[in-house]
Amino acid sequence: MYDKTTSAEFRKYGSVYDESIDVEKNDLIIKQIVTSDKVISSLYYFLEPTYIEVVEGMAAILISDSSNSNFKLFAIHRKLEIKPNMYFNIISMTDQITYNLIIPSRYNLKIEFLNPPYVYNRILPTISIPEIIAYYYTIKSPKYKFKGERHNLYELTFVDNGTLDTTVDGVNYILNSSDLIIYGKNQFHTQAVNNNSSCSYLTIMFDMKCDDDSLICNRVFHCRKELYDAVRTFAKNISATIPYSENLILCNFHEIIIRLFQYDYLGADDASLPKESYQHFQDELLEKIVAYINERISSPITIEEICNKFSVSRSSLQMLFKNNLNISPKKYINDLKLTKSKQLIKENKYTISEIAFMLGFNSIHYFSRAFTQKYEISPSEYAQTMFKE
């Protein structure tokens, strides 16, 4: 963190001005300098006042009133007048800068060398995730076994609820609720549910460039609060369809990976996960799916559409509804459509055939049979009853 040259702290070394210096009138000369230097190994030292005017790019000035004291870095804002007897040099904050060094025509210059040189620390990414290839939420039954695979991608598995046994190149790992693991590129990995309870987990396949992936691969991370919140935020946003959702999802996932790289540097005590936070992914996913169905119940809606929208398999969707609502997703949709059909019949705006078509039933006969089975009265008889009332 550093100040601008317009700050009060800079007044110790010089001042700022707006209007360009009249070079001829003040017997000055201009030396235009183009540089991309981010490492400073030498310093200017003038016995006279000097002036700096940045022509192009963004620059900073490294400056001190003594060659032996701590140097200060200031972002250059406006034009600068540097006091005599200062040690300074200009650093390019952008790829390249052009600036005018304005000095007396009869200047006295001394060059002071820095040992070690000063290195300008730019804020640059050290981790790059250019693409998330796939992501899906899975619920597996007890005794599930996946024989294994390898691929040229990274893969993250986060266990929401239950216990997942996995091997990576023959090494065994156990993931409990709110644990996650990252499989490295081309590593053979298997997964299994070996106890008597189902296991639900989020899988994300992605590409990544980083200095050392061994820091996060092939180890079990138990999510502390910040990491859990980052995973949860990602899971909430993956089905969003508003503009720039993809960019937000990538930012969310970058946070997850960065927190994994930081995992060993953060204290465990202050960031423990509250017990009430566990096992909510199923509830949140189900809530979003049910809301999606309710919003579109007056239009044809398919199981395949829901699976694609929320990145879940048919079997996982079945188990999600069975575990939480004790009903299949197809029956839930049909029951909701039949409830909606009663409302439409009451409105007396559409024929029975139109209502069946609007709600996406395959035929009027299938609609009539389903309605009669549920309400023990046919749609036409129900309409007559409403009309008589």
Side-chain angles (χ1 to χ4, degrees):
M1 188 72 180
Y2 44 84
D3 292 322
K4 293 181 179 180
T5 50
T6 48
S7 68
E9 190 176 357
F10 183 73
R11 293 173 193 163
K12 177 180 179 181
Y13 311 104
S15 58
V16 297
Y17 61 93
D18 294 315
E19 298 297 327
S20 294
I21 296 291
D22 189 332
V23 175
E24 292 184 3
K25 183 178 178 180
N26 292 282
D27 192 23
L28 300 171
I29 57 174
I30 297 176
K31 292 185 177 293
Q32 189 164 93
I33 300 172
V34 179
T35 181
S36 58
D37 286 347
K38 304 293 187 295
V39 178
I40 300 298
S41 57
S42 61
L43 303 165
Y44 298 120
Y45 176 85
F46 290 93
L47 298 178
E48 306 85 9
T50 54
Y51 306 88
I52 294 168
E53 297 182 358
V54 177
V55 177
E56 187 175 353
M58 291 186 63
I61 182 169
L62 183 69
I63 193 165
S64 175
D65 57 2
S66 169
S67 61
N68 298 319
S69 64
N70 291 331
F71 286 86
K72 298 286 186 180
L73 188 70
F74 296 88
I76 295 178
H77 188 215
R78 298 161 67 181
K79 299 174 176 66
L80 305 184
E81 178 180 350
I82 308 299
K83 292 180 179 180
N85 305 313
M86 295 293 156
Y87 297 86
F88 70 91
N89 206 335
I90 307 301
I91 297 172
S92 174
M93 298 172 70
T94 49
D95 287 341
Q96 182 176 281
I97 58 166
T98 302
Y99 69 95
N100 290 333
L101 179 62
I102 305 172
I103 54 179
S105 58
R106 297 178 181 84
Y107 60 87
N108 292 283
L109 170 63
K110 181 173 74 172
I111 300 294
E112 186 79 19
F113 291 96
L114 274 178
N115 189 17
Y118 178 88
V119 179
Y120 173 61
N121 292 317
R122 301 159 67 193
I123 300 177
L124 297 171
T126 55
I127 303 165
S128 172
I129 302 171
E131 185 177 4
I132 294 174
I133 311 300
Y135 47 85
Y136 45 88
Y137 187 78
T138 304
I139 305 171
K140 294 301 182 184
S141 303
K143 308 306 178 186
Y144 162 78
K145 291 190 183 300
F146 172 56
K147 292 183 178 179
E149 65 178 359
R150 71 173 77 243
H151 45 67
N152 193 31
L153 294 169
Y154 293 95
E155 181 176 330
L156 181 150
T157 292
F158 168 83
V159 174
D160 169 36
N161 188 22
T163 299
L164 183 70
D165 294 341
T166 184
T167 66
V168 185
D169 289 337
V171 179
N172 297 319
Y173 300 90
I174 298 176
L175 282 75
N176 296 307
S177 295
S178 296
D179 287 348
L180 68 80
I181 193 170
I182 292 183
Y183 308 119
K185 287 186 174 183
N186 298 310
Q187 289 189 316
F188 185 80
H189 51 278
T190 68
Q191 293 178 333
V193 180
N194 290 323
N195 57 22
N196 294 322
S197 301
S198 63
C199 178
S200 56
Y201 53 93
L202 178 69
T203 296
I204 307 163
M205 301 176 71
F206 61 101
D207 197 8
M208 177 176 66
K209 296 177 182 177
C210 64
D211 292 337
D212 186 4
D213 63 7
S214 67
L215 298 173
I216 61 171
C217 291
N218 310 331
R219 61 177 289 190
V220 176
F221 293 90
H222 182 70
C223 290
R224 298 188 285 252
K225 187 177 186 305
E226 291 84 355
L227 180 55
Y228 179 85
D229 288 345
V231 175
R232 190 170 178 176
T233 300
F234 175 87
K236 283 182 178 180
N237 289 332
I238 55 176
S239 57
T241 56
I242 59 176
Y244 304 104
S245 295
E246 297 88 351
N247 296 275
L248 182 59
I249 291 166
L250 277 168
C251 289
N252 295 151
F253 192 66
H254 268 91
E255 181 182 358
I256 294 171
I257 299 301
I258 290 167
R259 291 196 178 278
L260 292 178
F261 276 105
Q262 295 178 336
Y263 194 89
D264 292 332
Y265 299 93
L266 301 175
D269 295 334
D270 296 335
S272 59
L273 186 65
K275 290 182 180 179
E276 60 269 19
S277 295
Y278 290 104
Q279 303 173 11
H280 286 325
F281 275 59
Q282 278 196 40
D283 295 339
E284 291 175 354
L285 179 60
L286 181 63
E287 184 180 330
K288 287 195 289 186
I289 292 174
V290 167
Y292 180 80
I293 293 171
N294 290 342
E295 289 171 5
R296 290 158 179 78
I297 200 63
S298 295
S299 305
I301 184 171
T302 65
I303 299 300
E304 183 181 9
E305 175 187 342
I306 296 171
C307 291
N308 291 337
K309 169 69 178 174
F310 294 96
S311 301
V312 295
S313 64
R314 280 180 172 269
S315 60
S316 295
L317 186 67
Q318 289 276 79
M319 192 167 293
L320 182 66
F321 273 74
K322 180 182 177 182
N323 289 349
N324 294 277
L325 300 178
N326 197 29
I327 191 174
S328 72
K330 185 174 182 179
K331 189 173 188 311
Y332 178 88
I333 293 171
N334 284 346
D335 285 354
L336 200 60
K337 285 182 178 292
L338 291 173
T339 301
K340 181 68 176 179
S341 72
K342 288 182 70 176
Q343 178 186 336
L344 293 172
I345 291 171
K346 286 180 182 180
E347 292 176 1
N348 199 27
K349 294 180 181 178
Y350 311 99
T351 67
I352 301 299
S353 295
E354 288 173 334
I355 291 172
F357 177 77
M358 288 167 56
L359 294 175
F361 286 95
N362 293 332
S363 69
I364 179 64
H365 304 291
Y366 176 72
F367 168 64
S368 180
R369 186 166 63 251
F371 191 99
T372 303
Q373 287 176 350
K374 183 172 177 62
Y375 298 115
E376 298 182 349
I377 187 174
S378 71
S380 56
E381 290 171 338
Y382 180 74
Q384 292 172 6
T385 304
M386 290 297 101
F387 181 74
K388 288 179 182 179
E389 292 177 355

